[in-house]
């Protein structure tokens, strides 16, 4: 289940999971899965020590992203989303998984000082999100994937 959620699993990632088994138990299961060819073991996320395990499709995605040109697109997710790994594997201050809070990413790193405001604008009455921020972290810091 953890591999399906994250694609890559390592010990520090378990901080986010309240009901996860002990790392030692997972390690034994992941090693058996690696022997059967179901997962790959290796170093996939820089800045973290210890064994890491990934689904083959995640390894392919990481390789593709490493070779892709940077994008200036800002992606915003709910702070309660499992992808909110700011302060865990993505550099920055941890953002609690609370409904109503949001986290923004640009080029794979958290946007520092982001604020997502929901307001009603214009005569059409549609709700718009306004996102402010600048990239936090530099390539090569802990949490860089690839």
């Amino acid at each position: 289940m953890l591999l399906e959620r994250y694609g890559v699993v390592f010990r520090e990632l378990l901080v986010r999971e309240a009901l996860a088994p002990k790392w030692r138990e997972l390690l034994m299961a992941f090693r058996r899965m690696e022997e059967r060819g179901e997962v790959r073991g290796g170093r996939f996320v820089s800045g973290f020590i210890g064994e890491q395990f990934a689904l083959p499709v995640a390894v392919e995605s990481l390789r593709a992203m490493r070779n892709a040109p940077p994008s200036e697109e800002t992606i915003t997710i709910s702070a309660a989303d499992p992808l909110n790994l700011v302060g865990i594997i993505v550099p920055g201050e941890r953002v609690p998984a609370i409904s109503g809070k949001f986290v923004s990413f640009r080029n794979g790193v958290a946007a520092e000082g982001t604020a997502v405001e929901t307001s009603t604008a214009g005569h059409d009455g549609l709700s718009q999100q306004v996102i402010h921020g600048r990239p936090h972290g530099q390539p090569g810091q802990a949490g860089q994937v690839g």
Side-chain angles (χ1 to χ4, degrees):
M1 183 171 168
L2 292 171
L3 279 169
E4 290 174 3
R5 175 178 291 163
Y6 297 112
V8 178
V9 177
F10 49 94
R11 187 177 191 153
E12 287 85 355
L13 188 63
L14 298 181
V15 170
R16 177 90 162 118
E17 298 295 323
L19 302 174
K22 293 181 181 178
W23 177 246
R24 181 179 177 92
E25 296 169 3
L26 287 172
L27 194 57
M28 290 187 297
F30 288 149
R31 286 178 180 162
R32 284 192 302 269
M33 292 171 72
E34 183 181 20
E35 289 173 3
R36 292 190 303 254
E38 297 172 16
V39 301
R40 294 187 190 163
R43 300 287 188 266
F44 306 104
V45 181
S46 65
F48 296 95
I49 60 171
E51 294 181 77
Q52 299 177 15
F53 297 90
L55 293 173
V57 67
V59 174
E60 293 170 17
S61 293
L62 290 171
R63 286 182 182 150
M65 289 303 298
R66 179 176 46 196
N67 297 327
S71 167
E72 292 303 317
E73 179 182 11
T74 300
I75 299 170
T76 302
I77 62 170
S78 168
D81 192 303
L83 287 177
N84 172 15
L85 298 172
V86 177
I88 298 170
I89 53 175
V90 177
E93 188 175 326
R94 189 166 179 188
V95 179
I98 299 173
S99 179
K101 290 193 174 213
F102 297 88
V103 179
S104 296
F105 296 91
R106 189 174 304 122
N107 291 325
V109 295
E112 185 179 324
T114 58
V116 177
E117 304 166 7
T118 305
S119 63
T120 304
H123 63 280
D124 57 8
L126 296 176
S127 180
Q128 296 181 348
Q129 289 187 334
V130 181
I131 304 170
H132 310 281
R134 55 187 164 83
H136 175 80
Q138 298 297 321
Q141 285 186 319
Q144 293 298 312
V145 178

